[in-house]
Amino acid sequence: MKRKILILGLLMPFLFSSVVYAVDEGFPGRSEYPDVFVYEKAQLFDDFKNVVLVDTRSKYEYETLRIKGAVNIPVSSKDFGAMVKQLRASTNKPIVFYCNGRTCYKSYRAGREANNLNIENTYAYDAGIFEWAKTYPDHAILLGKSPVNANEIISSRKYTSHLLEPEKFSEKAYQMRGSSLVIDIRDRYQRAGTGLFPAKERWASLDNQKQLQQYIKLAKAQNKTLFIYDEVGKQVRWFQYALEKANVKNYYFMKKGARHYNDDLMRTQLSMSFQQ
């Protein structure tokens, strides 16, 4: 991969050779967060014992698949800044944030927030957990087990086979009437007090595992098909592990989540207003 690397030796001589301040092909977030220093995958592995890894995702995602030894500080938490400050006070090692992968921006957001709080020596490992687990299975944990068996990582093909476009998701859920169960797994901030299917759905954030397990049991006991959505179509991929573990066969996810649904609805309304 070709890289355009900005040399920072004169500005920050303490930076490791592993750190890149760059816009790289295949990493769209680097151009949007040029102020966040980046660790490459191989170099992070080389420095593994000399850094502190912070998983910036939800607790649910962290407990499903994570880098071995990482601590969980969700960037969405209102206490994120305070917790990172506390972590920095306990160590002078580089703090490296990570999330799901190249199109997940939580690691960048964490790095920028740390910068804004003047927390020094922080970086983003932006290749993400999936690439890490497949490359270094001994240094990852999947569902409590290490080394990670790559065959147990749900493939993109299997994931996408359960996706429905928002319109089809809605249509199918309502057509099945009492045989369907819609679940909104967004957190309370994303949900903002209401769901997309008020008279039809149940709500439990991804971190509310007890409630989600109850919904899974209910669906299985009543032979209902599950229709599950989140904010942007990312979190449902982690919930799929729970569904597969529970041997649930009939379930669908809303492609690109509630945000895409609302965007489609807005476009439809605008189109209708122009036609009138």
Side-chain angles (χ1 to χ4, degrees):
M1 180 186 294
K2 294 182 179 179
R3 294 197 293 269
K4 299 176 182 178
I5 302 176
L6 177 62
I7 299 174
L8 299 173
L10 294 176
L11 297 176
M12 301 186 72
F14 56 84
L15 286 180
F16 294 176
S17 61
S18 57
V19 178
V20 182
Y21 190 40
V23 178
D24 282 25
E25 296 174 3
F27 293 89
R30 293 186 181 182
S31 61
E32 295 185 38
Y33 293 84
D35 53 318
V36 176
F37 299 115
V38 174
Y39 251 102
E40 300 289 358
K41 181 172 57 180
Q43 292 298 329
L44 179 59
F45 180 75
D46 290 341
D47 290 340
F48 191 75
K49 294 182 179 180
N50 300 314
V51 302
V52 177
L53 286 154
V54 175
D55 190 316
T56 63
R57 305 168 303 152
S58 70
K59 180 181 178 183
Y60 194 100
E61 292 166 284
Y62 170 80
E63 292 182 347
T64 302
L65 177 64
R66 64 181 181 273
I67 297 178
K68 186 178 287 187
V71 297
N72 183 214
I73 307 179
V75 72
S76 60
S77 169
K78 62 180 181 180
D79 298 321
F80 175 80
M83 294 175 72
V84 176
K85 281 185 176 181
Q86 185 177 11
L87 179 62
R88 165 52 66 228
S90 70
T91 179
N92 59 5
K93 290 183 178 181
I95 296 174
V96 183
F97 303 110
Y98 75 89
C99 54
N100 284 329
R102 300 185 180 205
T103 59
C104 176
Y105 287 10
K106 290 181 179 179
S107 63
Y108 300 121
R109 285 169 50 201
R112 176 167 288 175
E113 186 163 346
N115 289 342
N116 292 339
L117 293 170
N118 296 317
I119 302 173
E120 298 181 346
N121 209 12
T122 63
Y123 312 94
Y125 160 60
D126 54 355
I129 183 58
F130 286 108
E131 288 192 30
W132 180 271
K134 290 176 182 178
T135 308
Y136 309 114
D138 291 338
H139 289 69
I141 300 174
L142 174 62
L143 299 174
K145 296 186 296 183
S146 184
V148 168
N149 182 346
N151 294 327
E152 293 180 357
I153 297 177
I154 296 175
S155 68
S156 295
R157 178 178 294 181
K158 185 168 187 176
Y159 167 64
T160 55
S161 70
H162 289 272
L163 293 179
L164 293 177
E165 292 288 346
E167 184 177 352
K168 185 66 176 178
F169 179 101
S170 177
E171 178 183 319
K172 193 174 183 68
Y174 278 112
Q175 282 180 345
M176 295 186 69
R177 300 179 182 274
S179 296
S180 65
L181 178 61
V182 181
I183 305 176
D184 177 358
I185 65 170
R186 294 177 295 171
D187 62 40
R188 62 190 178 92
Y189 298 106
Q190 294 170 329
R191 183 176 167 86
T194 185
L196 301 180
F197 309 92
K200 181 78 174 173
E201 71 179 38
R202 310 290 179 90
W203 171 63
S205 71
L206 195 59
D207 284 331
N208 191 345
Q209 297 186 39
K210 183 177 180 180
Q211 187 65 61
L212 288 172
Q213 287 299 322
Q214 289 177 353
Y215 290 150
I216 289 175
K217 290 179 180 178
L218 175 65
K220 291 186 69 176
Q222 298 182 1
N223 196 30
K224 293 178 181 288
T225 297
L226 286 168
F227 291 80
I228 305 147
Y229 72 94
D230 60 15
E231 182 67 4
V232 294
K234 300 286 187 180
Q235 294 171 308
V236 288
R237 185 166 188 173
W238 297 100
F239 190 47
Q240 189 171 16
Y241 283 93
L243 296 171
E244 290 293 320
K245 186 176 181 180
N247 199 31
V248 176
K249 301 298 183 183
N250 301 316
Y251 64 89
Y252 296 99
F253 301 133
M254 183 186 291
K255 188 174 182 180
K256 297 184 180 179
R259 189 176 300 176
H260 187 48
Y261 179 95
N262 288 325
D263 288 344
D264 277 357
L265 186 63
M266 183 71 71
R267 281 192 291 268
T268 299
Q269 291 175 340
L270 285 173
S271 176
M272 290 177 63
S273 66
F274 283 127
Q275 292 174 7
Q276 292 176 352

